[in-house]
Amino acid sequence: MEHWLVPPLKVAIEAGTPLLLASLGELYTERSGVLNLGIEGMMLMGALSGFIVALITGNPWLGLLSAMIVGGLMGALHAFVCISLHANQVISGLALSMLGVGLSGFIGKRFVGIPLKATFGVSPIPLLNKIPILGSILFEHNVIVYISYILAIILWLILHRTKMGIMIKAVGENPAAADAAGVDVYKVRYVCTIFGGVMAGAAGAYLSLAHIPMWVENMTAGRGWIAVAIVVFATWDPLRALLGSYLFGGVEALQYWLQPWGIDPSLLGTLPYIATILVLVIIGSSKRLRRAMSAPSALCKPYIREEKVV
Amino acid sequence: MKGIIRSFLLTPPEKSSLLNIPRGEVVVKMQGITKRFPGVTANDHVDFELRAGEIHALLGENGAGKTTLMNILYGLYRPDEGEIYVGNRRVKIGSPKDAIKLGIAMVHQHFKLIESLTVAENIALCIEEYKFFSHIQDVKKNIGELSEKYGLRIDPDARVWQLSAGEKQRVEILKALIRRAKILILDEPTSVLTPPEKRELFKILRRMAEEGCGIVFITHKLHEVMEVSDRVTVLRKGRVVATLQTSETNPKQLAKLMLGKEIPLRPITHTASLTYKEAPILEVRNLYVLNDRGSLAVKGVSFEVFAGEIFGIAGVSGNGQRELIEAITGLRKVKLGNIILMGEEVTNRTPKDIIERGVAFIPEDRLNMGIAQDLSISENLILKKYRYTPFSGHLFLNLDHINKWVDKLIKEYNIITPSSRLPAGVLSGGNIQRLILARELSGNPKLIVASNPTRGLDVAATNFVRSLLIEQKKRGVAVLLVSEDLEELLMLADRIAVIFEGKFMGVLPTSKADVNRIGLMMAGIEMAKVRS
Ligand SMILES: Nc1ncnc2c1ncn2[C@@H]1O[C@H](COP(=O)(O)OP(=O)(O)OP(=O)(O)O)[C@@H](O)[C@H]1O
Ligand SMILES: [Mg+2]
C-alpha cells in the first residue's frame, strides 16, 4: 500500500525537473553578472531540436545532446551581444525568447502530434527505490531526474567550495576588481552564459523527450519565466533552487488536480511569481539578509575596461 | 576551450623569471610611453625605470598622470605609444593577468576587492597555484604564515565589507606577498592610513625591498618621498621632469619640480578670537546613532558650533565620525538626542530639508557620495539647484542660465576639464573635490560640514580647500570639520574635540592643544586624566 504522500511529491519532482535544469543554468549566468531572459526561447528550441533528432535517430541521448548544443549556441549569441558588444541584456534576452517561440513554432509545424518512441522512460534505481516512502518518491524516475540531483549538488559545491566559484562570484560582484586580480572577466561570463543556454536546452529536451514525449507548439508554457523567477526565489543558491523548483513543480501539478474543484489554473499559475515577490520583500526588509542574499552587484552591467579606473 | 580548461583546472605554477634578478639591476623599463584620453594627454613620452630592491617614489600633482602610467604597467590601460621591458625582455602587457604572470602586483588607490567575499577568498582569487580543488584552508594557512612574518594582522574569515580601510590595504599587500610579486606598485597607499598604520606600512615596504622587491610608491606628499624612497621620479602634466636620488634632493627642490613654481608649503596660520556669546548655528545634544551593523557608534555626544568658527573633530577613523556627520546631514536616523539648527529642531529631518536650511556637505567619499559619476560636470554642479528659479521654469530647465553659471563656477574654482559635458567621474581626485566645493559653497551656506576634505589631494588643491574654508569662516559661516589629519586641525580649527569609540574625550581651544595631548585623547584617555 502506497503512502498518500508519495504520488504528489513524485509528480512535483517530475514537473520540477525542467525548472531545476533551466534555473541552475540561469543561476550561474546571473552569478557571473549576465541576465538571460531568453530561457523560454532556448527551452523551446531545445525541446524541438531534441525531439527531431530523437525522432530521426531513434536515440534520446542524441536528442538531448543536440538540444544542449542548440541551447548553447543561443547562449553564445546572447553572450556575444551582451558581453562583447555591451548591449542591453534585457533587450537581447527578450528578443531571444521571442525568436525561440516564433522559430520553434514555424519549424515544428510538421512535427506536431507525431508520437515519439525513443524517450527517456522511468528506470527505478534498484535497492534505493526500496527505501520506505522516500525510495519511490526520489528513485523511480527517468535518468535525467537523477542527473539533475547530482548536478545541483555539484554546482553548489563548485560555487561555494572551489576557486572557479570564487571567480564567478567575483566577476558578478565586481568585475573591475576581478580583472585586477587576473581573472579573465569576459571568458568567465562567456562560459557561464553558454552554460546557461546548454542547461535551458536540456530542460527543453526533458519536456519533449521525457515529460510529455511529443512536440506541441509552445510546449514550455512559461516554464522559462518560472525558472528565472526561481533563481530570485532561491537567492542565487543552487540547493535552494532545487527546493524552489520542486515547490513550483508541485504547484504546476496541483493545477490539474484542483481544476475539477473549480479552482482556476491561471490563478494557481501566478503562485510562483507571488512567492518570488514575497521572498524579495522578506530579503529587502532585513539588512543582514540583504547583505547575504541580494542579487550579484554587477548583474546587467556590461564591463568595459578602459573606463575610468580611479 | 583548451585555454579555459587549463586556466580553471590545471594552471601549472609558472615561475616568474624575475625571481633571480639581483638587487640593483633594472627590472622594469618603460620607454616613451604616451597615453591620450579624450581631451588630455595623461602621459607624454614618459621614461621610467625601476630597480630590484629599491623603493621608487612617483611624485606629481593631481592629474599629473601617475596612476595612468602605473595602470599601463599593470595592463589596465594600453599605451598609445612606447615600449615596456620587464627583466630585459620586451613585453606586451594586455591585461592584469599578463602583469601578474610577470610578477607585478598593484595596490590601487581605491582598493580592488570584492566586498561580499571573505579575505581568504579574495586572496585565493589571485593565486595561480591555487587550483580547482585546492582547499581554502591551505590559503588560510598561507595567509597565517605571511601575516605572522610581516606583522600584518588580519582575520581571513572576515568579509571585506567589514574591514577598515587600513585592513583592506593589508589584504592587498598580502595578495602581493602571497604571489611573491617581484614588482609592487602602491598608488597613494598612505591616504587612508592612520599614523601608526603608516609607520607599519613603511616598515613592511622596507623589508620587502631588502628581499629584492622593486617598489613603486605613488604619492604627492613630499615628506613621504623623503622618508621612504631611494629614488624619485617627478611627473608634471604627463611629462617626466626629473629622476633623482632621494638622498641628493630636498623637499623644496621637489616641490619646485612638481609644481613648476615655488609655493609656500604652509601658508595658513590660525587666528582665533571668538567670544561664543551669540546663539550657536548648530547644537547637538546628547546624540546617539547606530552604525550599519546596528550597534551604537555615537554614544551621547553634545557640542555647539558658532558662526565664524571652525569646530574640529579629531580621531582615528571608525570611531563614530561618519555616523555623527551622517546624522547631522539627515542621511542617518538619530536614535536618541537632538540636533538643533539655528534654533530649530531638525532631528531626523530629510536631507532635502536640511540642505534648504543652508547646510553644505563635503563628504569623505567623494566619488560615491560627493558626485554622481555618470552625470556631466555641469549637471553635478546644479544638482542642488536645478529645481529652483532661475535654474528652471515651471517645466523646463533654463539652459542659458545654467551654462553661464556653470562656466563661472568652473573658472572661479579652477576645475580643470576640457568640457563641462564630460561625466564627472573622469575628473582627477583634486578636480572632483573642486567641483564639490563649487557646488556646496556657491549656495551661501550657514553651516559647512566637511569630512576629511583634503584627503588624497596634492599641495595646491589642499591649500585651495583650506583657504576656502578659512574664507567661509571669515564670512561668518559655521564650519564643522572632521579630519584625521591632526596638523590640519591644529592649523584650521578654533576648537578641537577628540572622539573615541563614539564619545568625546574632551573639547579644547586650539591655542591650548598640542599633538601629544590630543594623541593621548585619540587613544581613549579622557582630557581630565591627560592633564593630571
Ligand atoms: N579613463 C580615463 N578617461 C579619461 N580621462 C582619464 C582617464 N583616466 C585618467 N584620465 C585623465 O588623465 C589625467 C591623468 O590622470 P591620473 O589619474 O593618471 O592622475 P594622477 O597623477 O594619478 O592624479 P591623482 O593624484 O589625482 O590620483 C587626468 O587629467 C585624468 O582626468
Ligand atoms: Mg592617481
Side-chain angles (χ1 to χ4, degrees):
Chain A
M1 179 56 205
E2 226 180 25
H3 193 273
W4 64 273
L5 260 176
V6 171
L9 290 182
K10 212 166 151 181
V11 172
I13 289 180
E14 243 156 49
T17 299
L19 301 177
L20 177 60
L21 292 171
S23 62
L24 284 175
E26 175 70 6
L27 195 146
Y28 263 59
T29 310
E30 290 191 19
R31 275 283 188 173
S32 79
V34 180
L35 178 71
N36 179 4
L37 294 182
I39 296 290
E40 178 84 358
M42 297 180 185
M43 276 175 79
L44 275 172
M45 290 300 287
L48 177 63
S49 56
F51 180 84
I52 295 175
V53 171
L55 191 68
I56 294 170
T57 62
N59 184 336
W61 290 102
L62 284 179
L64 178 65
L65 184 71
S66 71
M68 289 164 73
I69 291 172
V70 167
L73 286 176
M74 289 179 77
L77 181 62
H78 185 61
F80 177 70
V81 171
C82 298
I83 301 168
S84 297
L85 303 183
H86 316 301
N88 185 310
Q89 300 178 1
V90 173
I91 294 174
S92 165
L94 288 177
L96 278 171
S97 261
M98 293 178 203
L99 180 81
V101 172
L103 204 58
S104 65
F106 173 71
I107 302 173
K109 270 212 173 72
R110 294 178 15 208
F111 298 96
V112 176
I114 302 175
L116 185 67
K117 288 203 194 74
T119 61
F120 291 105
V122 174
S123 42
I125 301 183
L127 292 182
L128 285 179
N129 73 336
K130 292 286 178 289
I131 303 171
I133 303 177
L134 274 186
S136 41
I137 294 176
L138 292 176
F139 301 112
E140 287 177 359
H141 293 283
N142 66 66
V143 61
I144 303 183
V145 174
Y146 306 140
I147 295 177
S148 72
Y149 296 157
I150 300 168
L151 213 54
I153 293 167
I154 289 182
L155 289 175
W156 185 89
L157 281 173
I158 289 181
L159 195 61
H160 295 303
R161 292 285 180 278
T162 68
K163 180 172 179 184
M164 187 148 81
I166 300 175
M167 283 163 94
I168 293 169
K169 285 191 264 187
V171 167
E173 286 294 329
N174 186 344
D179 190 13
V183 178
D184 190 332
V185 175
Y186 283 16
K187 192 157 84 184
V188 171
R189 286 191 166 178
Y190 258 96
V191 170
C192 288
T193 308
I194 292 173
F195 175 71
V198 168
M199 293 293 285
Y206 176 90
L207 287 178
S208 66
L209 299 180
H211 198 54
I212 312 179
M214 58 174 161
W215 168 251
V216 182
E217 193 178 331
N218 226 340
M219 68 187 300
T220 49
R223 288 188 181 83
W225 301 109
I226 296 181
V228 174
I230 287 172
V231 175
V232 181
F233 177 86
T235 58
W236 293 269
D237 179 88
L239 290 183
R240 284 196 291 267
L242 183 107
L243 189 78
S245 298
Y246 295 157
L247 204 63
F248 295 165
V251 169
E252 192 192 311
L254 219 55
Q255 288 177 18
Y256 301 104
W257 282 338
L258 291 184
Q259 220 162 348
W261 301 75
I263 294 173
D264 194 321
S266 5
L267 202 62
L268 271 177
T270 60
L271 271 184
Y273 302 105
I274 294 173
T276 303
I277 292 172
L278 272 180
V279 167
L280 286 178
V281 169
I282 292 166
I283 293 172
S285 60
S286 143
K287 241 178 201 160
R288 189 161 337 119
L289 287 180
R290 226 169 355 189
R291 276 263 184 222
M293 299 187 156
S294 56
S297 312
L299 186 63
C300 271
K301 291 189 192 129
Y303 176 62
I304 310 167
R305 185 186 286 154
E306 263 203 37
E307 265 180 354
K308 174 85 172 175
V309 183
V310 212
Chain B
M1 196 63 196
K2 222 177 97 202
I4 293 167
I5 291 172
R6 201 193 46 175
S7 65
F8 282 154
L9 299 174
L10 326 146
T11 313
E14 213 172 307
K15 278 257 158 57
S16 154
S17 59
L18 296 171
L19 277 174
N20 310 320
I21 292 188
R23 295 190 59 189
E25 296 278 296
V26 175
V27 279
V28 173
K29 201 153 139 194
M30 301 176 82
Q31 253 174 6
I33 299 287
T34 299
K35 176 74 188 173
R36 297 181 198 91
F37 289 114
V40 274
T41 305
N43 288 155
D44 188 358
H45 296 94
V46 170
D47 296 329
F48 179 79
E49 182 194 270
L50 178 70
R51 298 196 186 128
E54 78 166 342
I55 299 181
H56 194 136
L58 192 57
L59 180 71
E61 282 220 286
N62 291 133
K66 309 177 293 284
T67 301
T68 303
L69 185 67
M70 287 304 125
N71 276 346
I72 289 173
L73 182 56
Y74 194 60
L76 279 167
Y77 290 166
R78 235 157 274 191
D80 297 322
E81 288 167 40
E83 289 156 21
I84 302 174
Y85 299 85
V86 174
N88 282 328
R89 207 154 47 89
R90 169 122 192 238
V91 289
K92 250 192 87 193
I93 306 177
S95 71
K97 193 167 185 173
D98 296 346
I100 290 169
K101 283 227 176 85
L102 289 165
I104 304 173
M106 180 159 177
V107 179
H108 294 265
Q109 203 165 351
H110 301 271
F111 303 126
K112 301 231 177 228
L113 296 169
I114 293 113
E115 301 257 320
S116 59
L117 297 183
T118 66
V119 170
E121 287 173 332
N122 265 284
I123 291 176
L125 196 59
C126 69
I127 312 175
E128 288 259 315
E129 290 88 357
Y130 180 66
K131 276 180 251 114
F132 190 81
F133 284 117
S134 312
H135 214 275
I136 199 92
Q137 295 302 345
D138 298 345
V139 180
K140 280 190 206 158
K141 212 177 99 212
N142 236 321
I143 296 173
E145 281 162 14
L146 277 174
S147 45
E148 181 102 346
K149 184 172 162 204
Y150 288 90
L152 290 156
R153 279 161 292 106
I154 198 86
D155 170 12
D157 288 317
R159 304 225 167 243
V160 168
W161 60 266
Q162 297 172 316
L163 303 182
S164 72
E167 288 171 315
K168 284 183 194 169
Q169 187 179 64
R170 266 177 242 156
V171 178
E172 292 276 22
I173 291 175
L174 271 171
K175 268 163 73 174
L177 286 172
I178 224 160
R179 289 204 302 247
R180 280 188 227 95
K182 190 67 184 174
I183 298 155
L184 175 63
I185 306 163
L186 297 125
D187 196 350
E188 299 194 23
T190 55
S191 59
V192 293
L193 300 184
T194 60
E197 283 176 329
K198 196 161 107 182
R199 257 173 271 136
E200 200 181 317
L201 171 71
F202 285 179
K203 249 196 332 223
I204 292 164
L205 295 185
R206 273 269 142 254
R207 171 128 185 227
M208 290 177 75
E210 268 156 32
E211 287 167 1
C213 189
I215 297 175
V216 182
F217 185 95
I218 300 181
T219 183
H220 44 66
K221 294 192 184 130
L222 300 167
H223 63 95
E224 287 178 1
V225 175
M226 301 309 294
E227 197 176 332
V228 76
S229 75
D230 302 305
R231 281 200 301 166
V232 49
T233 292
V234 187
L235 277 180
R236 185 167 78 226
K237 296 199 172 134
R239 296 211 184 126
V240 173
V241 284
T243 297
L244 306 161
Q245 296 297 146
T246 309
S247 55
E248 289 164 13
T249 182
N250 56 55
K252 217 169 155 199
Q253 185 193 13
L254 288 176
K256 204 172 157 194
L257 285 170
M258 175 166 86
L259 299 162
K261 57 179 187 258
E262 301 236 16
I263 193 167
L265 284 180
R266 204 161 288 161
I268 301 153
T269 43
H270 150 86
T271 51
S273 57
L274 276 166
T275 49
Y276 304 112
K277 279 197 184 115
E278 286 163 42
I281 299 280
L282 172 71
E283 203 181 333
V284 171
R285 273 196 221 138
N286 198 25
L287 198 70
Y288 286 82
V289 188
L290 298 180
N291 63 15
D292 287 342
R293 281 174 245 176
S295 47
L296 271 179
V298 178
K299 303 169 192 161
V301 164
S302 304
F303 63 95
E304 292 155 343
V305 187
F306 293 86
E309 171 186 45
I310 297 182
F311 184 87
I313 297 182
V316 177
S317 84
N319 274 295
Q321 294 98 318
R322 202 181 109 208
E323 289 80 4
L324 174 62
I325 280 190
E326 289 183 356
I328 292 171
T329 49
L331 295 168
R332 189 178 283 270
K333 276 249 152 18
V334 171
K335 189 89 182 153
L336 200 73
N338 308 77
I339 298 167
I340 294 152
L341 202 58
M342 291 169 285
E344 280 180 57
E345 173 96 32
V346 295
T347 320
N348 286 334
R349 291 291 175 84
T350 61
K352 179 169 173 243
D353 187 7
I354 290 170
I355 290 166
E356 279 173 357
R357 286 164 195 265
V359 176
F361 180 32
I362 301 164
E364 171 168 356
D365 185 355
R366 270 164 229 155
L367 223 46
N368 295 313
M369 274 181 101
I371 58 169
Q373 293 187 49
D374 297 330
L375 293 189
S376 72
I377 293 166
S378 102
E379 284 164 335
N380 266 288
L381 280 170
I382 60 158
L383 216 47
K384 289 188 169 172
K385 292 210 168 64
Y386 67 90
R387 52 178 116 89
Y388 309 109
T389 45
F391 293 89
S392 64
H394 290 298
L395 203 51
F396 293 107
L397 290 173
N398 183 353
L399 288 179
D400 266 355
H401 183 84
I402 289 174
N403 288 338
K404 262 189 228 133
W405 169 265
V406 164
D407 288 343
K408 193 182 122 225
L409 284 185
I410 287 183
K411 211 175 280 157
E412 211 174 296
Y413 287 84
N414 205 3
I415 303 168
I416 297 162
T417 169
S419 156
S420 63
R421 293 205 171 74
L422 284 180
V426 309
L427 291 175
S428 74
N431 279 311
I432 288 177
Q433 191 69 324
R434 283 168 199 264
L435 187 161
I436 295 169
L437 286 165
R439 181 185 66 216
E440 296 296 324
L441 302 187
S442 61
N444 288 324
K446 301 279 190 307
L447 170 71
I448 298 171
V449 179
S451 178
N452 289 306
T454 61
R455 175 188 273 178
L457 299 189
D458 61 32
V459 186
T462 299
N463 283 345
F464 181 76
V465 172
R466 289 179 182 167
S467 59
L468 273 181
L469 289 179
I470 298 265
E471 189 186 297
Q472 293 290 322
K473 159 198 149 101
K474 285 195 182 135
R475 279 188 43 231
V477 176
V479 181
L480 176 63
L481 173 65
V482 172
S483 180
E484 280 153 41
D485 183 345
L486 203 47
E487 280 177 43
E488 173 165 278
L489 288 174
L490 291 169
M491 202 186 299
L492 297 178
D494 298 286
R495 290 185 296 155
I496 298 178
V498 182
I499 194 167
F500 176 77
E501 292 191 343
K503 290 194 193 122
F504 276 0
M505 293 293 110
V507 182
L508 66 176
T510 309
S511 50
K512 292 200 186 119
D514 68 79
V515 180
N516 284 334
R517 227 170 123 190
I518 293 186
L520 284 173
M521 285 159 74
M522 275 164 76
I525 300 168
E526 276 172 39
M527 184 156 78
K529 292 185 190 135
V530 174
R531 235 179 232 144
S532 59

